[in-house]
Amino acid sequence: TFYVKDCPNKLMVNLYIQKDNSEIVHAFEIPSKELGDKIVYCHCWKSKNFSFCDGSHTKHEETGDNMEPLIVNKKET
Ligand code: FES
């Protein structure tokens, strides 16, 4: 089960990935004229606007979860 230690009513999303980091954020650049300046994708599966991040991941901080969004930045070519 994925319950948070000492918080039996809360579930943790990330059980295995980069648990040594306090936060996980991945960012990279894609050359494309179709992108805006950046796109922020949800990594935590809690966004009400999935697949885009709506900031819902911040609620996980109280559980000790470290999932943050995937940020894709536009790369000028
Ligand atoms: Fe899921 Fe931001 S809402 S990463």
Side-chain angles (χ1 to χ4, degrees), residues 40-47 52-58 67-70:
V40 183
Y41 290 104
C42 177
H43 248 178
C44 75
W45 304 279
K46 298 294 184 187
S47 174
F52 301 104
C53 172
D54 70 353
S56 295
H57 62 268
T58 58
M67 288 305 285
E68 298 279 327
L70 167 65

Side-chain angles (χ1 to χ4, degrees), residues 4-59:
V4 176
K5 183 180 178 183
D6 300 327
C7 297
N9 296 328
K10 296 181 179 175
L11 300 176
M12 188 170 267
V13 173
N14 179 23
L15 301 178
Y16 310 107
I17 300 169
Q18 298 181 19
K19 296 301 282 185
D20 293 343
N21 296 337
S22 61
E23 298 178 346
I24 298 174
V25 177
H26 295 123
F28 57 92
E29 297 177 334
I30 295 177
S32 171
K33 294 177 181 175
E34 298 176 11
L35 291 175
D37 290 337
K38 69 178 179 180
I39 300 175
V40 183
Y41 290 104
C42 177
H43 248 178
C44 75
W45 304 279
K46 298 294 184 187
S47 174
K48 291 177 177 52
N49 191 30
F50 196 86
S51 63
F52 301 104
C53 172
D54 70 353
S56 295
H57 62 268
T58 58
K59 297 172 187 163

